[in-house]
Amino acid sequence: MIQKGTFLKVCDNSGAKIAYCIHNISKPTSKYAFIGDIVLVSIKQLNVRRRFAAKIKKGALAYALIVRSKVIKKFFYGDMIKFYETAAILFFRKTYKLIGTRVIGFVPILFRHSQFLRILSISAGVAH
């Protein structure tokens, strides 16, 4: 469950390390966002090695797709999914174009049936 004020780990090579959730874009009336939802984030910290070559700057606003969450997500057909960290992938605002070119870590297989199918092809692995 991600809400306003939640810190998210950025798991792509855009240059950002930590993002701060500002608003839930997918479900504006809902208080919480889960895996597969889009949120508006502010970049709080950059990777030390990529600070000067980062594709995004500190304090910039971006959209983020939540790909991992610590809270258990239950599906109607009985499956459950849970990760050890809360992580997101950054997009350019309004265009939903990926900022990074590589995703670090696992991505849930539920993105196979969404508009973000490209994330599965550039990720390191798929979690069932």
Side-chain angles (χ1 to χ4, degrees), residues 78-107:
D79 285 350
M80 294 185 293
I81 192 164
K82 177 185 174 182
F83 293 96
Y84 290 113
E85 62 185 4
T86 303
I89 297 172
L90 296 180
F91 291 106
F92 287 113
R93 291 183 69 187
K94 305 285 184 181
T95 60
Y96 295 117
K97 196 170 182 180
L98 291 170
I99 295 176
T101 57
R102 199 177 68 204
V103 176
I104 300 152
F106 287 99
V107 174

Side-chain angles (χ1 to χ4, degrees), residues 2-124:
I2 288 87
Q3 60 184 356
K4 291 182 184 180
T6 303
F7 286 95
L8 304 167
K9 181 180 175 184
V10 179
C11 63
D12 60 4
N13 64 342
S14 61
K17 188 174 184 180
I18 303 289
Y20 178 80
C21 180
I22 296 174
H23 184 67
N24 187 357
I25 301 295
S26 300
K27 305 173 197 168
T29 57
S30 177
K31 187 175 182 180
Y32 302 111
F34 295 97
I35 295 175
D37 289 341
I38 297 172
V39 293
L40 179 67
V41 296
S42 172
I43 307 304
K44 290 294 179 185
Q45 187 177 355
L46 299 176
N47 283 334
V48 177
R49 294 179 182 177
R50 293 191 50 99
R51 191 175 332 145
F52 301 110
K55 299 173 187 174
I56 195 162
K57 302 299 178 193
K58 184 178 175 183
L61 295 179
Y63 286 167
L65 176 70
I66 299 167
V67 292
R68 294 194 285 265
S69 177
K70 287 184 178 181
V71 178
I72 294 174
K73 166 95 170 162
K74 295 181 182 177
F75 298 101
F76 66 92
Y77 47 86
D79 285 350
M80 294 185 293
I81 192 164
K82 177 185 174 182
F83 293 96
Y84 290 113
E85 62 185 4
T86 303
I89 297 172
L90 296 180
F91 291 106
F92 287 113
R93 291 183 69 187
K94 305 285 184 181
T95 60
Y96 295 117
K97 196 170 182 180
L98 291 170
I99 295 176
T101 57
R102 199 177 68 204
V103 176
I104 300 152
F106 287 99
V107 174
I109 202 162
L110 64 94
F111 291 116
R112 177 181 288 175
H113 305 293
S114 69
Q115 65 179 0
F116 303 112
L117 183 63
R118 186 170 187 272
I119 292 172
L120 288 176
S121 64
I122 65 172
S123 67

